[in-house]
């Protein structure tokens, strides 16, 4: 395995693509880890309505926006990604909770 290159060290499109692929792999590992926590949360919650917590959602989004600014990342883009992720997680949790209640 080769060491990661900084963006400035990338000299070719292939260099950049290889680094994007490396970052994507790391993101997948992090999303998988996050998903395990979401699954556990769905096991803890008892009512499908608990899956959507607007106060918690807005607190998470505020943190994402602040952290994005600190990382020189477009905060609107980060918010869109997190809202999509949160919406997917809510539907996933609701499904697990409802199935458990039916079963």
């Amino acid at each position: 395995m080769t060491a990661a290159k900084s963006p400035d060290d990338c000299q070719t499109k292939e260099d950049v693509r290889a680094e994007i692929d490396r970052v994507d792999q790391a993101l997948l590992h992090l999303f998988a880890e996050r998903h395990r926590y979401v699954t556990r949360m769905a096991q803890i919650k008892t009512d499908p309505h608990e899956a959507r917590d607007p106060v918690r959602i807005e607190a998470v989004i505020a943190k994402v926006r602040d952290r994005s600014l600190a990382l020189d990342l477009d905060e609107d883009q980060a918010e869109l990604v997190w809202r999509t992720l949160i919406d997917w997680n809510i539907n996933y949790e609701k499904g697990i909770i409802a199935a458990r209640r039916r079963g």
Side-chain angles (χ1 to χ4, degrees):
M1 182 170 184
T2 59
K5 291 183 180 181
S6 73
D8 289 339
D9 290 336
C10 293
Q11 300 300 313
T12 66
K13 290 185 288 186
E14 290 75 21
D15 288 346
V16 172
R17 288 176 179 149
E19 293 308 312
I20 289 172
D21 288 347
R22 179 188 58 74
V23 170
D24 286 350
Q25 181 66 18
L27 285 170
L28 281 172
H29 283 280
L30 290 171
F31 281 132
E33 179 181 0
R34 189 181 195 283
H35 181 72
R36 289 189 292 275
Y37 287 105
V38 170
T39 299
R40 182 62 184 136
M41 183 64 82
Q43 293 166 345
I44 292 169
K45 292 177 180 177
T46 58
D47 187 303
H49 298 294
E50 288 181 88
R52 180 173 296 281
D53 180 346
V55 172
R56 169 70 177 151
I57 291 167
E58 293 312 312
V60 169
I61 295 301
K63 280 192 269 187
V64 165
R65 291 184 67 84
D66 287 346
R67 291 171 179 169
S68 297
L69 286 171
L71 294 168
D72 198 26
L73 177 66
D74 183 280
E75 67 274 19
D76 293 332
Q77 183 181 28
E79 178 177 345
L80 176 62
V81 169
W82 254 261
R83 285 197 185 274
T84 301
L85 179 62
I86 289 168
D87 285 344
W88 187 90
N89 289 155
I90 288 167
N91 290 328
Y92 176 77
E93 282 186 21
K94 283 181 178 179
I96 289 175
I97 298 163
R100 186 176 63 242
R101 289 178 67 165
R102 284 190 305 269

